[in-house]
Amino acid sequence: MQYHFNEIEAKWQKYWAENKTFQAVNQSNKPKYYVLDMFPYPSGAGLHVGHPLGYIASDIYARYKRHKGFNVLHPQGYDSFGLPAEQYAIQTGQHPAITTETNIKTYRRQLDQIGFSFDWSREVRTSDPSYYKWTQWIFIQLFESWYNNDSNKAEAIETLVSKFASEGNTHVNAVCDDNIEAFTAEQWNSFSSEKQQDILLQYRLTYLAETEVNWCPALGTVLANDEIVNGVSERGGHPVIRKKMTQWSMRISAYAERLLQGLDTIDWTDSLKESQRNWIGKSVGASVTFKVLSNEECHAELVEASHKIEVFTTRPDTIFGVSFMTLAPEHELVSEITTPEQKAEVEAYIQATAKRSERDRMADVKTISGVFTGAYAEHPFSKEPIPIWIGDYVLAGYGTGAVMSVPCGDQRDYDFAKHFNIPIPNIFEGVDISEEAHADKDHTIIANSDFLNGMNYKKATKRAIFELEQLGQGEGKTNYRLRDAVFSRQRYWGEPFPVYYVNGKPQMIDKAHLPIRLPDVEKYLPTETGEPPLGRADVWAWCTETHLVVSNDKINNTTVFPLELNTMPGWAGSSWYFFRYMDAHNDQKFASEDALNYWENVDLYIGGSEHATGHLLYSRFWVKFMKDRGFVNVEEPFKKLINQGMILGTSAIVYRINIKTVDASKNRIISDGAFKYISVKSNIFASYNYLVSISNNEIKPSSTNSGLFFEAKNKELIFSLMKLFEVENEYLEQVLDGNCVLEITYDPIRIDVNNINNSDEIIDFDKMKLWNEFENALFINDSGHIEDEGGVFTVGREVEKMSKRWLNVVNPDSICEQYGADSLRLYEMFLGPLEQAKPWNTAGITGVHGFLKKLWKLYVGENGLHVNDSEPTKDNLKTLHKTIKKVEEDIENFSFNTSVSTFMIAVNELTTQKCTSKKVLEPLLVLLSPYAPHIAEELYSQLGYNESISTAPFPKFDASHLVESSKNYPISFNGKMRFTLELPMDMSKDEIEAAVMSHEKTKAQLQGREPKKVIIVPGKIVNIVE
RNA sequence: GCUGAAGUGGUGGAAUUGGUAGACACGUUGGACUUAAAAUCCAAUGUCCAUUAGGACGUACGGGUUCAAGUCCCGUCUUCAGUACCA
């Protein structure tokens, strides 16, 4: 009986589906374990072999945990709102829901054929109204919450309202908008409802705010920074302008500190935690207020009270080193403080910066630019006037958009000061600042700084803040880089907001009436007036009497009101989906309390590192919010997280050859295509091996750049090349005379990797000729013959990102068909460490496939099963238990590549041992089952079981089988291993030394010399030092 | 620049605690079986020197610690990823 993987795999996939083998239950005596893959977007292109890598790893772990006696939740679903479906809809008019449905079907088929142990009964889709109903519900909860800094958590907005009503807002310690007016309880109670709503909006965790965005009028949409290249849209090259728009925002900044602290409680990689830390960007320092001196006279008595510049600094200890101030060109005070003499220059500078995109400004770090405003600020302590400059190295969006410049301690300030000849006072004891700024704060003593003299960074900072507070001109402050997150998208294919507007004030629709379904539109583009696509919907108004979405023409602004036209961003649905899997069909709650209490949070989360600062930060924010409001009882969504590395493609390259004769100075081309073949045929392609061989292995053609490959100088070679290319005689003579040079250049051309065999050779030339480029082409094969096709033709290879563009995409469908899902699963793991990026090369899969065949043969012979009840030998048990130990350790460490090797070694050994014992071969199947579940199930059933192998207990490791009686000692001389010696394990050090020293090879090695020292580590090594 | 990861045969990679570097595979070469091919099986395969015995070199580079270094320490270089005028 042979190993018919296709039949076996189809059979077990059907069995698992019919028997609901992997359905998780919400009540169990077993301990729970929750394994989750990052939410996939079902793209139209389907899966390539890179996609399932993480799924295979998590599946192995999930299956392993089932063998270990856990109740495992391992669900899967789709983050099915998103741009590609919308783009497709814009182009074709096809409703995105239809495209999405089709794509999901393809995805599901591809996932099923790989044999994942997903519990599909819990599938969720973000675009399903029964799901986004709860996304809308959470949005409303955020709207109805504020962040209380005193209790350090989010609270219901009612608690804020009652505070306002009883004591006004002056004692409220909340995370809110800047520049909020103070009011008393009486004032609050006398405010109109509209005014009250306006005020509350400044406190809510989701709020409407004016945000500056990159608006592209031609596309009618907002673009992300990386969608803009050189100030125009990447797609289409349309101009982009900065525009203020009213959009929903999320007050994630309220959670900055908790998001930072929480990182210490979770088991994520350092690099991931580090990028979240960077993103949150906490800096501790002080805010300092500088008074602006009046324009007329720079005397302290004439300080104009109305103009103050607030700055944030991490180095209040260096405040006596301030020699100028710099404002961002966009800073609102710039126009007010600029003196008439400087006005023209300042305005020109502001205009020039406005033209540069934010990205350009950031990319260009070298150019120092700025303008003096003519105004001066007063130093809070020395009362000296300080010139105020503007410069585009100060960003409007960070801190207060203004800095106190301390050139001696900050390199950018230093460069600026040098460039504009501003004094650079030195306030560090014994430090030379003639060449560059001195940023070190740990080993530096402050000098020339009045009351800070002689203090170190820590002391001086404390004192400076204290003194600033005394003056009322500053205080200690912690600043975060993390900005509130914009939550509105001018798109169609996303969650609609449950929001309508009364007199322009947002109102939440009552939770009882959710979901608010996405309306139909006849086109998926923005409206002519620049409104989002939902502006095209005819039925998109809210009736407060019937609680229904009604036709727009019923809008009367008394009972029927317009609905929100934006939709939610992609991260809305993905920020909480892991809770929905716990209770996917609940229509009363997003998940029942019982389910939430049982499953808690995700134990193991696997996905790509591209979500480091998006999804993984936002979902942590939402979970913390939901915890605060008592909806869930966990503080973090993902306990352990692993980033799988990208699988890269191995592109196949052929070299298009150009032959020219040029004059000896190489300036003038004498002939370009003066060859018979070129005049007849369009293209000549050379094989990699040919190109390497004619250059005597000196040149390896680059796969990415075209260029001069070869210059023929050698007469013999010239002859052979001319013969090969049938160069016309007139040139032949000139080349031989040395008047001309034969020059060969090449262009690398990628061809489909699926047309390459295991030895990097082209399989099918006819298939290739379907591409224009290769039609009628000629091929110089490895042996140097020009042929229409055929011969051995080796391609060059280059590792690059797997993408259609490079023709290096390998589809798992064809792998499964040719080698089976178990081979695919094993090979993906075998490629290398999970976290590392590594190239895919289909050629190698024969190795793991051969292993599976060998495994099969260990159990099944030509006449059926040859496993029996014979007692295992000592060797059998040794092999088994060493495999158990290694595989278990590997799985716990997510080192799946090494366990595949371990399986290979085990099967090689057991085959050599001719093992037929069920007592060894059965546990081996359980070990293998997480990796290659189909073959494991099949052989397990052939051993006589009617149940699935999926919950068979994981074999117990017994160390007694690994105890060795002897050890093959490496005998080293001065650390170099010379020979090995088999010695009993129970020998003492002295006995070992005696045995080694008396050995003839030792004597030969020493040649009579007396060793200085003999190092013996029993059970490990012997080292003789001469 | 900063942060993180990494650098080992022709290739993917192994060596988890400092203790026989290159496991396990791919590829290559030779052989068996076959009319032939495929499949399968066997053997060799880091580089160099040597007929053999054996020897020298070898984990990006330069130092160091140690009886012993891919592994630890110092310095340098390179690659990849993320991030960036963050005050």
Side-chain angles (χ1 to χ4, degrees), chain A residues 602-623:
Chain A
V602 177
D603 294 288
L604 174 65
Y605 198 36
I606 295 188
S609 54
E610 68 273 20
H611 298 110
T613 46
H615 163 60
L616 289 175
L617 201 59
Y618 295 133
S619 41
R620 292 182 64 218
F621 157 45
W622 276 33
V623 167

Side-chain angles (χ1 to χ4, degrees), chain A residues 119-130:
Chain A
D119 177 357
W120 284 108
S121 72
R122 295 170 186 254
E123 180 196 300
V124 304
R125 301 178 184 187
T126 52
S127 60
D128 188 329
S130 71

Side-chain angles (χ1 to χ4, degrees), chain A residues 393-611:
Chain A
Y393 79 98
V394 177
L395 304 179
Y398 183 76
T400 57
V403 299
M404 58 175 228
S405 303
V406 184
C408 63
D410 181 289
Q411 194 57 45
R412 284 156 310 166
D413 294 344
Y414 186 92
D415 294 340
F416 195 89
K418 274 255 151 129
H419 191 261
F420 291 108
N421 283 321
I422 303 170
I424 304 175
N426 189 352
I427 51 150
F428 302 120
E429 214 173 277
V431 168
D432 174 29
I433 52 154
S434 59
E435 289 301 322
E436 55 178 6
H438 178 75
D440 175 62
K441 60 188 178 193
D442 292 327
H443 313 284
T444 309
I445 301 297
I446 303 292
N448 301 325
S449 296
D450 196 348
F451 52 82
L452 299 179
N453 284 341
M455 294 184 184
N456 62 14
Y457 160 74
K458 240 179 161 175
K459 263 187 153 174
T461 300
K462 235 178 174 174
R463 177 70 187 274
I465 291 173
F466 173 80
E467 295 290 343
L468 284 166
E469 278 169 354
Q470 294 300 302
L471 288 177
Q473 277 188 260
E475 57 186 346
K477 197 182 173 186
T478 302
N479 209 32
Y480 297 91
R481 193 178 81 103
L482 184 69
R483 306 283 90 185
D484 281 349
V486 177
F487 198 68
S488 293
R489 296 290 182 270
Q490 294 70 45
R491 305 282 183 190
Y492 175 76
W493 193 230
E495 297 87 346
F497 284 86
V499 173
Y500 62 96
Y501 288 89
V502 177
N503 294 329
K505 310 278 177 228
Q507 310 293 322
M508 293 295 125
I509 290 170
D510 194 282
K511 291 159 203 141
H513 310 303
L514 300 180
I516 302 304
R517 286 163 191 271
L518 204 51
D520 283 326
V521 292
E522 92 286 4
K523 249 169 129 182
Y524 302 95
L525 285 169
T527 65
E528 279 71 26
T529 52
E531 283 176 325
L534 292 193
R536 293 179 181 271
D538 297 326
V539 183
W540 196 238
W542 183 248
C543 174
T544 51
E545 287 179 324
T546 58
H547 308 301
L548 292 170
V549 175
V550 297
S551 172
N552 291 0
D553 48 29
K554 297 210 174 110
I555 293 176
N556 54 19
N557 288 314
T558 53
T559 57
V560 178
F561 302 95
L563 278 158
E564 168 75 50
L565 299 181
N566 289 296
T567 53
M568 297 187 198
W571 55 272
S574 60
S575 290
W576 72 279
Y577 75 110
F578 33 89
F579 291 127
R580 187 63 178 170
Y581 283 132
M582 297 174 184
D583 193 8
H585 305 290
N586 195 329
D587 57 2
Q588 300 303 309
K589 301 186 97 180
F590 69 90
S592 73
E593 263 175 53
D594 285 348
L596 289 163
N597 286 335
Y598 180 72
W599 292 111
E600 296 178 317
N601 50 10
V602 177
D603 294 288
L604 174 65
Y605 198 36
I606 295 188
S609 54
E610 68 273 20
H611 298 110

